Amino acid sequence: MKVRVGVNGYGTIGKRVAWAISLQPDMELVGVVKTKPNWETLSAVKRGLRIYTLKENIREFHARGIEVHGTLEDLLNSVDVIVDATPGDVGATYKKIYESFARKAVFQGGEEPDVAEVSFNALVNYGEALGKNYVRVVSCNTTGLLRVIYAVSKLSKIRSVRGFIVRRAADLKEIKKGPVEGVVLDPPKPPSHHALDVNTVLKDLDIVTYAVVVPTTLAHIHTLHFVLERSVTSDEVLDALSNTPRILLVDGGLIKSTAELRELARDLGRPQGDIFENVVWSDSVLVRGDEVMLTYAVHQEAIVVPENIDAIRAVMRLKEKAEDSIKITDESLGIKRWLQ
Ligand code: NAD
């Protein structure tokens, strides 16, 4: 029998996770919760999804001619697990309701870590989430960091990681966010919160990150500097990266910008031009003995989608091993295949 899943919050992350759930052989998407009958609700209706809302908002939906299947409570009565993709810090306000229905919940990186029993990345700590009631999929930047750190950790114990993060200012639809000009230190005094968030998963890792925000919507860029416990070669690093799920290598001679990368994803038919992988520039890999530097792109709207699917499998114990869940998720989403 398929696990029944609901999604609370059908925005940038929620709509993508809902779509991904509908592709899984072991999951059924029961419906999505929208609070407002806006253009994103229209997209859900056109995609044939069942819409649920808050009791007090039903009339507003009907006034717009949108059929509502029930309330959030009705959805919770019909599912085994809920993915909370409401805005940052809103998810925590729903936790009591999920608890009162004894439903497992997968939260997002905009929540404080204590919303959940485990902060999650499929490659790093799938096993810790097995059977848990509340799991938090870490944010887009943290997911990107953890995947690459995981890949490099297969070569050698890591002494330290130092990272510089160039953050996109907003997602395409976020018409009220900025900056539209200038580069903003985020924050001026390091570390940026990304390193602290990595430490919610890899508690003992010595990591510091600096971040700046730039006026783009396309993707983040990270440059990392590792110090390892042994000397390695660039071929070893490239092999470790290309053998890691959800990491793609690209040639800087062909692609040297996030703009070309996202356009290529559109050209090759990725849904919404989504890129679920870390895209590492192979030419950026620089090795000097025990030091490794590299640069990669993170498509913020898409990178956590596969992790949400694996988090559902972990809490429901659909697969006991990370690699088994990752394989199903990645096949269903065409991960790595579109560019290899
Ligand atoms: P979003 O604003 O695009 O979507 C949130 C959705 O929740 C919208 O449909 C909104 O209408 C709905 N909503 C608002 N208030 C609500 C409420 N009280 N109850 C139920 N639904 C409500 O946000 P998003 O970018 O999808 O972010 C969701 C979560 O994912 C956040 O924790 C965020 O930090 C995290 N996240 C976002 C990104 C990104 O780049 N956008 C990347 C990784 C993680």
Side-chain angles (χ1 to χ4, degrees):
M1 223 175 65
K2 293 185 178 188
V3 159
R4 299 165 306 161
V5 192
V7 176
N8 185 15
Y10 189 79
T12 301
I13 301 302
K15 66 181 140 189
R16 288 172 166 84
V17 172
W19 166 79
I21 291 165
S22 70
L23 298 180
Q24 304 310 308
D26 47 0
M27 297 177 198
E28 177 199 343
L29 177 67
V30 177
V32 301
V33 178
K34 277 295 304 173
T35 46
K36 291 195 189 108
N38 63 4
W39 62 273
E40 280 179 319
T41 311
L42 186 64
S43 122
V45 170
K46 294 284 179 200
R47 286 175 171 186
L49 304 186
R50 283 189 213 96
I51 312 287
Y52 295 74
T53 190
L54 307 182
K55 206 183 293 170
E56 59 272 24
N57 297 355
I58 292 179
R59 201 179 297 172
E60 212 185 323
F61 279 70
H62 285 163
R64 289 233 174 245
I66 294 169
E67 188 189 348
V68 174
H69 273 75
T71 61
L72 167 67
E73 288 76 8
D74 294 327
L75 180 63
L76 288 170
N77 267 325
S78 321
V79 298
D80 304 300
V81 54
I82 188 101
V83 175
D84 185 294
T86 60
D89 294 327
V90 173
T93 66
Y94 281 104
K95 190 173 172 190
K96 275 211 166 67
I97 305 178
Y98 306 151
E99 273 171 336
S100 68
F101 279 79
R103 290 298 178 264
K104 292 173 185 278
V106 174
F107 293 97
Q108 308 305 311
E111 304 304 315
E112 293 299 322
D114 64 5
V115 76
E117 297 151 280
V118 183
S119 285
F120 178 83
N121 174 268
L123 287 170
V124 178
N125 68 342
Y126 183 93
E128 286 179 41
L130 281 173
K132 290 284 191 301
N133 289 324
Y134 306 108
V135 166
R136 167 180 169 265
V137 172
V138 292
S139 77
C140 46
N141 281 302
T142 313
T143 298
L145 287 162
L146 285 166
R147 287 185 189 163
V148 171
I149 291 166
Y150 170 86
V152 174
S153 75
K154 294 286 146 196
L155 287 178
S156 159
K157 196 163 170 6
I158 296 170
R159 284 193 204 278
S160 65
V161 185
R162 303 291 177 250
F164 186 69
I165 295 177
V166 181
R167 292 183 57 191
R168 63 86 179 97
D171 296 336
L172 185 60
K173 69 172 191 184
E174 291 179 311
I175 55 176
K176 292 184 181 163
K177 268 178 101 176
V180 292
E181 185 55 281
V183 178
V184 183
L185 274 63
D186 181 39
K189 186 176 162 59
S192 68
H193 73 273
H194 311 97
L196 308 177
D197 205 26
V198 164
N199 284 143
T200 65
V201 181
L202 290 170
K203 299 188 172 52
D204 299 326
L205 183 70
D206 174 3
I207 176 167
V208 179
T209 49
Y210 286 72
V212 295
V213 185
V214 298
T216 180
T217 61
L218 296 173
H220 309 295
I221 292 261
H222 298 179
T223 295
L224 301 188
H225 174 257
F226 291 85
V227 179
L228 307 181
E229 278 203 351
R230 74 169 181 93
S231 292
V232 293
T233 64
S234 47
D235 282 347
E236 280 181 287
V237 176
L238 289 167
D239 281 351
L241 291 167
S242 71
N243 291 330
T244 300
R246 301 177 185 168
I247 295 183
L248 264 175
L249 293 174
V250 293
D251 176 350
L254 282 177
I255 301 170
K256 58 177 182 303
S257 69
T258 54
E260 293 158 317
L261 194 58
R262 289 292 309 281
E263 181 79 357
L264 182 62
R266 290 193 188 112
D267 291 348
L268 296 183
R270 303 298 300 154
Q272 301 163 123
D274 279 355
I275 301 177
F276 303 113
E277 305 87 345
N278 287 47
V279 182
V280 181
W281 275 275
S282 47
D283 333 44
S284 76
V285 173
L286 182 73
V287 176
R288 294 278 185 275
D290 59 359
E291 290 181 65
V292 177
M293 287 188 75
L294 50 79
T295 295
Y296 55 90
V298 168
H299 177 201
Q300 75 284 351
E301 296 162 301
I303 192 168
V304 298
V305 172
E307 311 299 322
N308 270 274
I309 299 300
D310 295 326
I312 296 168
R313 275 204 193 89
V315 297
M316 297 306 300
R317 300 203 84 129
L318 291 174
K319 291 289 171 203
E320 293 295 303
K321 288 191 183 152
E323 58 264 36
D324 294 338
S325 178
I326 288 171
K327 190 163 182 283
I328 300 171
T329 307
D330 289 9
E331 274 177 18
S332 70
L333 302 182
I335 287 181
K336 285 180 97 163
R337 284 206 306 268
W338 64 284
L339 210 53
Q340 280 182 338

